[in-house]
Amino acid sequence: MPASKKIALTKKTQISGTKDQILEVALNLFIAQGFHATPTSQISKEANVSTGTLFYYFPNKNLILEQLYLSIKKELSTYLQQQDNFNLPTKKRLFTCLKSYVEWIDANPKKTVFLDQFYHSANISKTIKQEAYDEFDRMKEIVEAAIYEGILKELPLEFHLIMVECIMNGLMSLVKSGKTKLSNDQLIAAGLDMLLKN
Amino acid sequence: MPASKKIALTKKTQISGTKDQILEVALNLFIAQGFHATPTSQISKEANVSTGTLFYYFPNKNLILEQLYLSIKKELSTYLQQQDNFNLPTKKRLFTCLKSYVEWIDANPKKTVFLDQFYHSANISKTIKQEAYDEFDRMKEIVEAAIYEGILKELPLEFHLIMVECIMNGLMSLVKSGKTKLSNDQLIAAGLDMLLKN
Amino acid sequence: MPASKKIALTKKTQISGTKDQILEVALNLFIAQGFHATPTSQISKEANVSTGTLFYYFPNKNLILEQLYLSIKKELSTYLQQQDNFNLPTKKRLFTCLKSYVEWIDANPKKTVFLDQFYHSANISKTIKQEAYDEFDRMKEIVEAAIYEGILKELPLEFHLIMVECIMNGLMSLVKSGKTKLSNDQLIAAGLDMLLKN
Amino acid sequence: MPASKKIALTKKTQISGTKDQILEVALNLFIAQGFHATPTSQISKEANVSTGTLFYYFPNKNLILEQLYLSIKKELSTYLQQQDNFNLPTKKRLFTCLKSYVEWIDANPKKTVFLDQFYHSANISKTIKQEAYDEFDRMKEIVEAAIYEGILKELPLEFHLIMVECIMNGLMSLVKSGKTKLSNDQLIAAGLDMLLKN
DNA sequence: ACCATCGGGACCTCCCGTTGGT
DNA sequence: ACCAACGGGAGGTCCCGATGGT
């Protein structure tokens, strides 16, 4: 049975397999070449769909980027929440959180690079960024609790949230650059150490 | 006193050269609209020169960006070195360094935004980035000394360098977002505190 | 009485068929945005059908326009013929004709605009235009009779036919522009006066 | 001497010969194929300029159309004013005006077709249409005088202005269609006769 | 009868950069 | 040093229409 036939047969079931296919190709191209250096024609070509199909799912190029950003952020937040456990002590939860974060980074190098690269992108609207940010409410709560319990220094919540993100970004960069010989656990420990009261 | 020297000193207020005029306009447009969203035609128009003139000074668009990046990085590094004092103890020098950093951020909001936004840009060549990086050798030395003296934790130099940058970026974000009520000094103290041994 | 007949009679108020629905929407969009500026996607969207359905009824976009043109022309000609009366003297018939024309314009502003706008359209084939033109044979006969009877000046039939149309268009424009305070009857009288021998 | 060289030499003097060249080509294509059916690529090709040059003079396609419309309308109005003579009696002036109109039509068949075809175009902005309309103030004055002097029927100015235009359009159509055997003078006489009091 | 999904093409836009001349 | 005029190309948009299933 030819592959094309098979695809036709499963067309209905793999609803928007096409869409995911496009997103995946876009992810690879965006991180390899950059957003502006990647023509939509290339995306559609490598995703084996026509430009028409691409337009059907994403009326414009920016939307591909934004959808990608959002889906990756959601995936990350979902993972973090899965690893979290309400019943554990805050400090443990904080640690788990960072650890899961690094694990995810380790398991999703491409997506990590994407987040790193497009965090500052002017092509992602404030709305989308906010929406992505809201996904991490749980983490916010953990940090809040940690401050309350004196695990983190008595500084504004905003300060800690930004620092968590910064340190994560820093760890990402280190891992990516391959310049460090520290193990993941050592990195987590070092990162956590910077955040904690002392 | 030669005219050139005088101009150098009063550079900030007296941007008269066509080239500087173009760079200034480009800075504003790039941070407001992004690099790709800013046509050279707009730059030349707002700088009151023709397209021909713009390309007389900058053979291509990327070079505008790179020149801008390099000049700003150099300006920052120069400022930091001016504030530094070899004779002081390392801890004091480290503190001064961060403090100067934040001061500069505070005094140069646009340039700060620029650095923040184009740090990851694919349009700035590795060469230029390296050249800019090399400008900060002095800081590298200070960090090395600090590790050696046990002021900073015993972790690889790379780790600390990245973390310094990360924390600076974080402080930038905080200041820019206007979400914090902490004073600059408090921010520096908090940032330094994260870096130090404990 | 068959259902189809009933629908025909109450066509104006009870546009229920998908096809009529599409035509109605198309009419509104075409006069508001123009033919080329109106994508089929918009038509199908506003008609609450899918693109597929639209192309089920109209093999291509031009046919929508042509169907619209033809149906409106026929509607107009039908109305004029209904008001006409063979037994009346020619002059009276001519007057009635113009009067009916203006009445119809008044009662069908959108369709009037449509005719006005697409009279010169290159997207309506000669065939369709001829077919529409042939619908007005009765009027041609009236004009011919009027020339014969000396009611209209002794000029070629073509001249009069074009002039009738021109004057009707002029009256349309006047009514539409809202710049005139003349009543419909006054307009008709003035228009007729221009056509008559003197 | 090759033609290309010659063109290069006279480049300076034939300032915007390029622009006129583009307009002329556009005129021919628009009336032959319609506005939407004429790609800009074809215009630039037939005008022997690059797409870049075309964009340099006309930032978008609509502007070509509007410029064309305006320039033709101005040309017509200029011609009419040249033929007009303040010192002659109003009736004579009115006659001259129509006569000149028909003459111009006769001498400029392409431009006539253009005006006829794009009079209702949605691609010409109200602003441009108004600007073109204002060019014909002189004619407005003549009609006003004619009404005042009882040469034209006592109907609103607007009525007469529209009718003049309509009748001119009608005459255009007749001439174009080639269906009439009437001479230009006969047409003018017939047209004028319709307008005059009786 | 109706539709979700997809194909493929072409147009306008508009951008970067060059050139000849002053 | 400066510029008007121009070349050339490619990208995103988005449209019309086809297809196969229900």
Side-chain angles (χ1 to χ4, degrees):
Chain A
M1 178 192 254
S4 62
K5 292 273 181 184
K6 194 178 168 192
I7 286 173
L9 282 175
T10 52
K11 196 188 200 173
K12 251 315 177 22
T13 55
Q14 58 168 198
I15 277 186
S16 283
T18 308
K19 195 168 181 174
D20 288 338
Q21 174 70 9
I22 293 171
L23 284 178
E24 189 179 331
V25 168
L27 170 62
N28 288 323
L29 293 176
F30 286 166
I31 61 178
Q33 313 173 349
F35 178 68
H36 288 99
T38 304
T40 53
S41 58
Q42 191 182 8
I43 298 175
S44 61
K45 199 169 295 169
E46 301 204 8
N48 287 321
V49 297
S50 70
T51 55
T53 303
L54 189 131
F55 178 71
Y56 175 73
Y57 288 105
F58 305 94
N60 62 61
K61 196 182 170 187
N62 262 343
L63 284 184
I64 304 178
L65 186 69
E66 296 190 335
Q67 291 273 345
L68 209 48
Y69 182 77
L70 210 50
S71 72
I72 292 176
K73 277 282 191 181
K74 279 187 178 167
E75 190 187 316
L76 170 56
S77 111
T78 301
Y79 182 73
L80 294 186
Q81 287 181 46
Q82 279 170 355
Q83 308 305 313
D84 186 33
N85 183 345
F86 277 108
N87 302 321
L88 295 176
T90 305
K91 189 166 180 178
K92 177 68 182 161
R93 288 179 72 195
L94 195 58
F95 177 78
T96 305
C97 200
L98 295 192
K99 192 179 153 82
S100 309
Y101 205 144
V102 175
E103 277 169 15
W104 188 88
I105 289 174
D106 212 44
N108 298 278
K110 283 182 185 174
K111 293 177 182 176
T112 302
V113 173
F114 177 85
L115 289 184
D116 192 29
Q117 223 163 84
F118 293 94
Y119 181 71
H120 298 278
S121 171
N123 294 96
I124 298 175
S125 70
K126 300 271 176 196
T127 322
I128 295 293
K129 279 182 177 164
Q130 183 61 38
E131 198 173 331
Y133 182 80
D134 293 341
E135 288 288 321
F136 291 84
D137 272 347
R138 179 86 68 92
M139 291 201 64
K140 212 160 120 184
E141 287 164 19
I142 298 177
V143 171
E144 261 174 335
I147 297 173
Y148 181 76
E149 295 180 22
I151 297 169
L152 292 175
K153 273 159 269 171
E154 208 169 312
L155 287 164
L157 174 62
E158 292 299 335
F159 179 89
H160 286 298
L161 288 177
I162 285 200
M163 283 306 152
V164 167
E165 193 154 7
C166 283
I167 287 172
M168 286 299 110
N169 281 336
L171 298 184
M172 272 193 215
S173 297
L174 263 180
V175 171
K176 272 196 314 174
S177 73
K179 284 182 186 168
T180 183
K181 289 166 191 162
L182 297 178
S183 70
N184 279 0
D185 275 347
Q186 286 174 305
L187 282 174
I188 299 163
L192 191 60
D193 198 46
M194 294 182 71
L195 291 169
L196 296 186
K197 200 154 184 178
N198 67 12
Chain B
M1 178 191 252
S4 62
K5 291 274 179 182
K6 193 179 168 190
I7 286 173
L9 282 174
T10 53
K11 195 176 171 189
K12 260 302 180 28
T13 53
Q14 196 191 13
I15 297 169
S16 54
T18 306
K19 193 167 181 176
D20 287 337
Q21 176 67 13
I22 293 171
L23 283 177
E24 167 108 4
V25 168
L27 169 62
N28 288 322
L29 292 176
F30 286 167
I31 61 178
Q33 313 174 348
F35 178 69
H36 286 98
T38 303
T40 52
S41 59
Q42 191 183 8
I43 298 174
S44 60
K45 200 168 294 167
E46 299 203 9
N48 289 320
V49 296
S50 76
T51 312
T53 303
L54 188 142
F55 282 96
Y56 172 76
Y57 286 106
F58 303 93
N60 63 60
K61 194 186 174 186
N62 264 343
L63 285 185
I64 305 178
L65 186 68
E66 296 189 336
Q67 288 270 347
L68 213 46
Y69 183 77
L70 210 50
S71 72
I72 292 176
K73 276 285 192 181
K74 278 188 179 168
E75 191 187 318
L76 170 57
S77 109
T78 301
Y79 182 73
L80 294 186
Q81 288 181 43
Q82 278 171 356
Q83 307 304 315
D84 187 32
N85 184 343
F86 276 109
N87 303 320
L88 295 176
T90 305
K91 189 166 181 178
K92 178 64 183 165
R93 288 179 72 196
L94 196 58
F95 178 77
T96 305
C97 199
L98 295 193
K99 191 178 154 83
S100 308
Y101 205 144
V102 175
E103 276 170 13
W104 188 87
I105 289 174
D106 213 44
N108 298 277
K110 284 182 184 173
K111 294 177 181 175
T112 301
V113 172
F114 178 85
L115 290 184
D116 193 28
Q117 225 163 77
F118 292 95
Y119 181 72
H120 298 278
S121 171
N123 293 96
I124 297 175
S125 68
K126 299 273 178 195
T127 321
I128 296 291
K129 277 182 177 163
Q130 184 59 39
E131 196 174 331
Y133 183 79
D134 293 342
E135 288 287 320
F136 290 84
D137 273 348
R138 179 85 68 90
M139 290 199 67
K140 212 159 120 184
E141 288 164 17
I142 298 178
V143 171
E144 264 174 332
I147 297 172
Y148 182 75
E149 294 180 23
I151 297 169
L152 293 176
K153 275 159 265 168
E154 208 168 313
L155 286 164
L157 174 62
E158 291 300 334
F159 179 87
H160 286 299
L161 288 178
I162 285 200
M163 281 308 153
V164 167
E165 195 155 6
C166 282
I167 287 171
M168 285 299 111
N169 281 336
L171 298 185
M172 271 192 215
S173 298
L174 263 179
V175 171
K176 274 197 310 177
S177 73
K179 284 182 185 168
T180 183
K181 288 167 192 162
L182 297 179
S183 69
N184 280 359
D185 276 346
Q186 285 175 304
L187 282 174
I188 299 163
L192 191 59
D193 199 46
M194 294 182 71
L195 291 169
L196 295 187
K197 199 155 183 177
N198 70 11
Chain C
M1 178 192 254
S4 62
K5 291 274 180 182
K6 192 178 168 190
I7 285 172
L9 282 175
T10 54
K11 194 177 173 189
K12 260 299 179 32
T13 52
Q14 197 191 12
I15 297 169
S16 52
T18 305
K19 192 167 182 176
D20 287 338
Q21 177 67 14
I22 293 172
L23 284 177
E24 167 109 1
V25 168
L27 169 62
N28 288 322
L29 291 177
F30 286 168
I31 62 178
Q33 312 174 350
F35 177 70
H36 286 97
T38 304
T40 51
S41 59
Q42 191 183 9
I43 298 175
S44 59
K45 201 169 293 168
E46 299 203 9
N48 290 319
V49 296
S50 77
T51 311
T53 304
L54 187 142
F55 282 96
Y56 172 77
Y57 287 106
F58 304 93
N60 62 59
K61 194 185 173 188
N62 264 343
L63 285 185
I64 304 178
L65 186 69
E66 296 190 336
Q67 290 270 345
L68 212 46
Y69 183 78
L70 210 50
S71 73
I72 292 175
K73 277 283 191 182
K74 278 187 178 167
E75 191 187 317
L76 169 57
S77 109
T78 302
Y79 182 74
L80 295 185
Q81 287 180 45
Q82 278 170 357
Q83 307 305 314
D84 186 33
N85 183 344
F86 277 108
N87 303 321
L88 295 176
T90 304
K91 189 167 180 177
K92 178 66 183 164
R93 288 179 71 195
L94 196 58
F95 176 78
T96 305
C97 199
L98 295 193
K99 191 178 152 84
S100 308
Y101 205 145
V102 175
E103 277 170 12
W104 187 87
I105 288 174
D106 213 44
N108 298 279
K110 283 182 184 174
K111 293 177 181 174
T112 302
V113 172
F114 177 84
L115 289 184
D116 193 27
Q117 225 163 82
F118 293 94
Y119 181 72
H120 299 279
S121 171
N123 294 95
I124 298 175
S125 68
K126 301 273 177 195
T127 323
I128 295 292
K129 277 182 178 165
Q130 184 60 40
E131 197 174 332
Y133 183 80
D134 294 341
E135 288 287 321
F136 291 84
D137 272 346
R138 179 85 69 88
M139 289 200 66
K140 211 159 120 186
E141 289 162 16
I142 298 178
V143 171
E144 263 174 333
I147 297 172
Y148 182 75
E149 296 179 21
I151 297 169
L152 292 175
K153 275 159 268 170
E154 207 168 313
L155 286 165
L157 174 62
E158 290 300 336
F159 180 88
H160 286 298
L161 287 177
I162 285 200
M163 282 307 154
V164 166
E165 194 153 8
C166 283
I167 287 171
M168 284 299 109
N169 281 335
L171 297 184
M172 270 192 214
S173 296
L174 263 180
V175 171
K176 274 198 310 179
S177 73
K179 284 182 185 167
T180 183
K181 289 166 191 163
L182 298 178
S183 70
N184 280 358
D185 277 346
Q186 285 174 306
L187 282 175
I188 300 163
L192 191 59
D193 198 46
M194 294 181 71
L195 292 167
L196 297 185
K197 198 153 183 180
N198 68 14
Chain D
M1 177 192 252
S4 62
K5 292 273 180 182
K6 192 180 169 189
I7 286 171
L9 282 175
T10 52
K11 197 186 197 173
K12 250 319 179 20
T13 54
Q14 58 167 200
I15 277 187
S16 283
T18 307
K19 195 167 182 175
D20 289 338
Q21 174 71 8
I22 293 171
L23 285 177
E24 190 179 331
V25 168
L27 170 62
N28 288 323
L29 293 177
F30 286 167
I31 61 179
Q33 313 173 350
F35 178 69
H36 288 98
T38 304
T40 53
S41 60
Q42 191 183 8
I43 298 175
S44 60
K45 199 170 294 169
E46 300 204 7
N48 287 319
V49 296
S50 70
T51 55
T53 303
L54 190 133
F55 177 72
Y56 176 73
Y57 288 106
F58 306 94
N60 63 61
K61 195 182 172 188
N62 262 344
L63 284 184
I64 305 179
L65 186 69
E66 296 191 335
Q67 290 273 345
L68 209 47
Y69 183 78
L70 211 51
S71 72
I72 293 176
K73 277 283 191 180
K74 278 187 178 168
E75 189 186 317
L76 169 57
S77 112
T78 301
Y79 181 74
L80 295 186
Q81 287 182 44
Q82 279 170 354
Q83 307 304 313
D84 186 32
N85 183 343
F86 276 109
N87 302 320
L88 296 176
T90 304
K91 189 166 181 179
K92 177 66 184 165
R93 288 179 72 195
L94 195 59
F95 177 78
T96 305
C97 200
L98 295 193
K99 191 179 155 82
S100 309
Y101 206 144
V102 176
E103 276 169 15
W104 188 88
I105 289 174
D106 212 45
N108 298 278
K110 284 182 183 173
K111 293 177 181 175
T112 301
V113 173
F114 177 84
L115 289 185
D116 192 30
Q117 225 163 81
F118 292 95
Y119 182 70
H120 298 278
S121 171
N123 293 96
I124 298 175
S125 69
K126 300 273 177 196
T127 321
I128 296 291
K129 278 181 177 163
Q130 183 60 38
E131 198 174 330
Y133 182 80
D134 293 341
E135 288 288 320
F136 291 83
D137 272 347
R138 180 84 70 89
M139 291 199 66
K140 211 160 122 185
E141 287 163 18
I142 298 177
V143 171
E144 261 174 334
I147 298 173
Y148 182 75
E149 296 179 21
I151 297 168
L152 293 175
K153 275 159 265 170
E154 209 169 310
L155 286 164
L157 174 62
E158 291 300 334
F159 179 88
H160 286 298
L161 287 178
I162 285 200
M163 282 307 152
V164 166
E165 193 155 7
C166 283
I167 287 171
M168 286 300 110
N169 281 336
L171 297 184
M172 272 193 214
S173 297
L174 263 180
V175 172
K176 273 196 313 176
S177 71
K179 285 182 184 167
T180 182
K181 290 165 190 161
L182 298 178
S183 69
N184 279 359
D185 276 345
Q186 285 174 305
L187 283 173
I188 300 163
L192 191 60
D193 198 47
M194 294 181 72
L195 290 168
L196 296 186
K197 200 154 183 179
N198 66 14

